[in-house]
Amino acid sequence: MSTALVTAPTKEPISLAEAKLHLRLPVDFLDDDILVERLIQTARERAENITRRRYITQTWDYFLDDWPDEDYIEVPFPPLLSVTTVKYKDSDGTQTTWAATNYIVDIKAEPGRVVLADGISWPSDSLYPSNPIEVRFVCGYGATLDMVPANIKSAMLLMVGELYERREEAIVGQGINQVELSTEALLYSYRIFGF
């Protein structure tokens, strides 16, 4: 199983203005804007990796080596918004788009799922030897910043603050600091296990 990003998010879950307010930087102080924007992206990527979620709407491909034994495929990176296509390659490399009437998209499950429709079975064709099954899906809380939960945004702001304040400092042998503990606590309830 592997994934590939198709369409990246068009914005970050926290704005430059929010980050500057958190850092107590004057709005008209522009010298560090590029740095702060990069730290916001770094914080988002770190938080997404910790929670195994995606925050702002984005599109991914999920590849499987075989059809599951269950009657569903769990889709990574909740929350799932939609499934665009389910495709598979036969042993000759011919790709087929599986009809959407063969499955139900369960966006309420955590993580979301592609569930076989009543009376339908997974295709029985011999599959291509490498990444034969592709599920293209859209995930995230939505396209706007206000749809991302406050705890996630607060954790990201803590990360941005820590990265900004300690960007040149190397701390050796001090273990986990209070900011890391607070960040983990804020993100804990959003973690998805199993992917």
Side-chain angles (χ1 to χ4, degrees), residues 123-136:
S124 59
D125 305 45
S126 290
L127 295 172
Y128 195 72
S130 177
N131 297 320
I133 301 164
E134 173 192 302
V135 179
R136 179 162 290 181

Side-chain angles (χ1 to χ4, degrees), residues 132-172:
I133 301 164
E134 173 192 302
V135 179
R136 179 162 290 181
F137 64 96
V138 179
C139 59
Y141 287 100
T144 60
L145 311 181
D146 60 329
M147 299 179 98
V148 178
N151 281 359
I152 291 172
K153 292 174 76 167
S154 294
M156 287 180 57
L157 287 170
L158 286 173
M159 288 183 210
V160 169
E162 181 76 358
L163 290 167
Y164 185 81
E165 290 300 318
R166 302 190 188 282
R167 59 187 164 215
E168 300 293 331
E169 185 176 320
I171 302 172
V172 179

Side-chain angles (χ1 to χ4, degrees), residues 42-164:
T42 300
R44 183 218 358 124
E45 290 173 359
R46 173 77 177 124
E48 285 180 338
N49 288 336
I50 290 169
T51 62
R52 296 185 177 107
R53 292 178 178 271
R54 298 299 177 257
Y55 303 145
I56 298 294
T57 303
Q58 47 197 278
T59 303
W60 286 80
D61 283 338
Y62 178 44
F63 299 97
L64 296 100
D65 293 326
D66 208 347
W67 298 108
D69 294 330
E70 300 86 9
D71 64 350
Y72 61 87
I73 297 170
E74 285 189 335
V75 181
F77 311 143
L80 177 64
L81 295 174
S82 64
V83 170
T84 309
T85 56
V86 176
K87 298 179 181 182
Y88 65 96
K89 285 185 193 175
D90 64 19
S91 56
D92 295 328
T94 303
Q95 189 172 59
T96 301
T97 300
W98 209 40
T101 55
N102 291 326
Y103 58 88
I104 300 159
V105 178
D106 180 0
I107 63 171
K108 296 197 184 307
E110 284 280 320
R113 305 180 308 166
V114 174
V115 181
L116 288 174
D118 190 38
I120 302 294
S121 300
W122 300 118
S124 59
D125 305 45
S126 290
L127 295 172
Y128 195 72
S130 177
N131 297 320
I133 301 164
E134 173 192 302
V135 179
R136 179 162 290 181
F137 64 96
V138 179
C139 59
Y141 287 100
T144 60
L145 311 181
D146 60 329
M147 299 179 98
V148 178
N151 281 359
I152 291 172
K153 292 174 76 167
S154 294
M156 287 180 57
L157 287 170
L158 286 173
M159 288 183 210
V160 169
E162 181 76 358
L163 290 167
Y164 185 81

